[in-house]
Amino acid sequence: MSMALFLEPVDVWLFRDGRPFDAGDDHYARTLFPPFPTVLQGVIRSHHLRVKGIDLNDKSAIQRTVGTATSYGTLRLRGPFVAQRTGDAITRYFPLPADAVPFANGTVKPAQPQAPSATGARTCWDNYIPFLLFPVESEPRKPDEGAWLSECDLWNYLYGQPVQPLSASELFVIEHRYGIGIQKERNRVVEEGKLYAAEFVRPADGVGLYLD
């Protein structure tokens, strides 16, 4: 059975990048957006266990239901993709390719466009869109940080047409929040040297994560 999911937060999101974090040592917790697929694997499997009413202390029941830490059974996942929902339509977004050449009018084109050798009609929404990396003879330039293309614009880009990238701030913003360590044994007195900061993702209205 195939299923498409669109996840929207009720508040901000924090997806840690896996590096150690402890107030007083590395005091800055960085976030990844979109997160790694394994993060959503864990979310879906945990939700499935709860829906099925599986005892989380019963390891054999967990394994029969969602597999193990190294084998996910029949669960296969594609994504997550940053996406925006407008009514019933969902648009996926992708980071601007590294071979993009910017122009003065704000549009970008690939350094050396090569049309994919696909046959038949192409559409902006295609579950089997080929994510192709084309070789470039000229030296690629670093694109603007935080630029994104809609799926339709990505298709046009791959065919060598100029497209207008979207700033990341139109899809989501990164919020920096700060806190301090507390000594519980001393009536919640501030712990010296335990200042920390964390990055949180606040998606724009209708923006979330899409996955199959």
Side-chain angles (χ1 to χ4, degrees), residues 5-194:
L5 297 176
F6 182 71
L7 309 179
E8 291 183 84
V10 295
D11 201 339
V12 293
W13 266 330
L14 170 62
F15 299 107
R16 289 283 312 283
D17 63 359
R19 282 179 283 189
F21 171 75
D22 186 20
D25 296 328
D26 184 359
H27 68 281
Y28 198 84
R30 294 168 177 81
T31 191
L32 292 175
F33 191 71
F36 291 129
T38 48
V39 174
L40 273 300
Q41 284 276 12
V43 169
I44 294 172
R45 295 169 81 198
S46 298
H47 178 71
H48 189 60
L49 289 172
R50 181 177 181 182
V51 169
K52 293 295 184 180
I54 302 300
D55 182 0
L56 299 184
N57 293 315
D58 189 342
K59 294 184 178 180
S60 60
I62 292 175
Q63 182 173 343
R64 289 193 304 269
T65 307
V66 297
T68 67
T70 57
S71 174
Y72 300 153
T74 59
L75 177 61
R76 297 294 181 268
L77 181 148
R78 180 169 54 191
F81 303 100
V82 175
Q84 186 167 32
R85 182 172 62 179
T86 305
D88 294 331
I90 293 179
T91 302
R92 295 188 293 185
Y93 288 89
F94 303 87
L96 184 67
D99 68 339
V101 176
F103 293 88
N105 62 0
T107 62
V108 297
K109 289 179 65 177
Q112 182 185 10
Q114 299 184 29
S117 57
T119 58
R122 61 186 177 90
T123 62
C124 293
W125 180 263
D126 185 347
N127 286 333
Y128 299 97
I129 179 173
F131 298 103
L132 304 177
L133 297 178
F134 301 126
V136 292
E137 295 178 356
S138 57
E139 185 69 22
R141 295 177 56 184
K142 184 176 181 181
D144 293 336
E145 184 176 357
W148 294 72
L149 293 179
S150 69
E151 185 166 351
C152 188
D153 280 341
L154 178 59
W155 264 115
N156 292 330
Y157 177 91
L158 294 177
Y159 276 80
Q161 300 178 21
V163 294
Q164 183 80 46
L166 192 69
S167 171
S169 61
E170 297 183 60
L171 296 173
F172 60 90
V173 295
I174 301 295
E175 295 184 357
H176 305 271
R177 299 189 180 185
Y178 302 89
I180 53 176
I182 299 295
Q183 301 183 53
K184 295 181 180 179
E185 65 278 5
R186 296 186 58 189
N187 196 26
R188 303 185 63 81
V189 174
V190 174
E191 191 169 357
E192 185 176 351
K194 292 300 179 71

